[in-house]
Amino acid sequence: MLYLVGLGLADETDITIKGLEVVKRAERVYLEAYTSILLVDKEKLEAFYGRSVIVADRELVEIGSDEILQGANDADIAFLVVGDPFGATTHIDLVLRARELGINIKTIPNASIMSAIGCAGLQLYNFGQTVSMVFFTETWKPSSYYDRIKENVSIGLHTLVLLDIKVKEQSLENLLKGRKIYEPPRYMTVAQCAAQMLNTEDERNEGVYGPDSLAIGAARVGAPDQKLVAGTLKELTEVDMGHPLHSLILLGKRTHELEKDFIREFAVDGATFDASWSKWYQTTS
């Protein structure tokens, strides 16, 4: 059996009892380590599980899937995923390959950012399409996410923005020369995301949002040091949310007064928040 085991969001104790039982009896245990990260090191997981864990980077998962699946017809293989195994469709290829080989598959779900973001006090029913924000470069500033946000805004829905991480990435020069030299890990911050969003609005100039649009920055959701900050996009370009992982929510028109009262607790500046809310709410209600 191939088990896809969700680990939750924060540390080694977030795994479910069912998932831990699988890990303890599996012949091999892989940790997917490129779409997201836990807030603890692999060694802490191994100490808690009482066994070794094999880190599965993008290359192993996408190119060496047969290595992961080897022997899964005769033994249990555990593939650990931060959050929920199908919080995104990243691992569909692995599942399809297992099916081709006649390998049985079982998924053990867990909390993901898609559900845990409810900690911000917003109704999950009123979230629209989730979008991803990648690191901009001087020559590459993709804005397809802007169109998805525009659709959400048009019907009053919130937008969850998931922020880019770069783990075990090669520079273009090293990639072209075939050198296995990797760049230091990078994790996008709320401040960087807010700045890029405003940059895109300046470029597109379609009035989907602006510097005084209200948003919420979230950091390390589910961890003891979880942090939420509410404010305008302009304010969020200057906040320091600390260590990764970060996410951002752009508020939609359907935000209720009770939600506003909850959110205000995390405001960068209460007076600015109230002024922006009043202006925004009066023009969209």
Side-chain angles (χ1 to χ4, degrees):
M1 181 83 75
L2 171 67
Y3 286 92
L4 280 75
V5 181
L7 295 184
L9 295 172
D11 58 36
E12 72 279 12
T13 65
D14 281 351
I15 192 171
T16 63
I17 294 174
K18 187 181 294 184
L20 185 59
E21 289 173 347
V22 169
V23 168
K24 286 184 175 296
R25 71 170 182 264
E27 182 171 294
R28 297 191 307 279
V29 180
Y30 293 91
L31 172 64
E32 190 267 276
Y34 66 91
T35 59
S36 188
I37 59 166
L38 275 184
L39 304 181
V40 294
D41 295 330
K42 176 176 77 83
E43 289 72 24
K44 214 166 185 183
L45 292 182
E46 291 177 325
F48 187 75
Y49 299 156
R51 56 171 313 157
S52 61
V53 172
I54 303 165
V55 174
D57 59 18
R58 183 187 299 272
E59 183 177 353
L60 177 58
V61 177
E62 295 182 351
I63 300 175
S65 60
D66 285 351
E67 178 182 334
I68 296 173
L69 298 174
Q70 184 178 5
N73 278 316
D74 304 308
D76 291 334
I77 306 299
F79 186 77
L80 312 183
V81 181
V82 177
D84 184 85
F86 292 127
T89 57
T90 307
H91 306 107
I92 293 295
D93 284 347
L94 182 64
V95 171
L96 292 177
R97 179 58 180 151
R99 285 180 182 174
E100 289 176 1
L101 296 173
I103 296 169
N104 293 320
I105 304 154
K106 187 170 184 179
T107 302
I108 300 177
N110 208 322
S112 77
I113 190 63
M114 306 289 283
S115 58
I117 199 62
C119 68
L122 301 175
Q123 294 183 22
L124 293 179
Y125 292 117
N126 286 334
F127 276 80
Q129 302 169 87
T130 297
V131 303
S132 297
M133 176 68 75
V134 300
F135 281 108
F136 286 179
T137 69
E138 288 297 321
T139 58
W140 188 61
K141 298 180 180 180
S143 64
S144 58
Y145 76 90
Y146 183 87
D147 298 311
R148 305 288 79 76
I149 293 179
K150 184 177 181 179
E151 292 173 2
N152 290 344
V153 168
S154 70
I155 51 177
L157 299 179
H158 313 307
T159 302
L160 173 61
V161 186
L162 304 180
L163 311 192
D164 200 5
I165 70 172
K166 298 290 187 185
V167 179
K168 205 173 182 182
E169 297 275 342
Q170 293 175 274
S171 68
L172 181 59
E173 179 183 357
N174 287 328
L175 186 63
L176 292 174
K177 293 183 177 180
R179 297 184 299 206
K180 297 290 186 179
I181 300 174
Y182 301 100
E183 301 294 296
R186 288 193 297 152
Y187 307 97
M188 184 179 288
T189 67
V190 163
Q192 290 171 318
C193 177
Q196 290 190 177
M197 288 177 67
L198 292 177
N199 179 277
T200 300
E201 180 59 62
D202 287 342
E203 293 287 332
R204 297 284 294 264
N205 196 30
E206 297 177 30
V208 173
Y209 51 78
D212 61 349
S213 295
L214 289 172
I216 303 171
R220 299 171 301 284
V221 171
D225 63 343
Q226 170 181 297
K227 185 174 183 179
L228 299 172
V229 173
T232 65
L233 279 176
K234 182 178 180 181
E235 286 176 325
L236 293 188
T237 64
E238 301 175 358
V239 298
D240 181 359
M241 301 286 291
H243 299 297
L245 294 171
H246 294 186
S247 303
L248 183 144
I249 307 164
L250 183 69
L251 295 190
K253 299 176 184 180
R254 297 186 185 180
T255 308
H256 192 274
E257 286 280 349
L258 291 177
E259 293 174 301
K260 182 206 76 170
D261 293 341
F262 186 95
I263 297 164
R264 193 184 184 282
E265 176 76 17
F266 315 112
V268 174
D269 181 271
T272 301
F273 182 91
D274 291 340
S276 297
W277 171 268
S278 179
K279 176 184 176 183
W280 170 80
Y281 188 77
Q282 290 175 5
T283 58
T284 59
S285 59

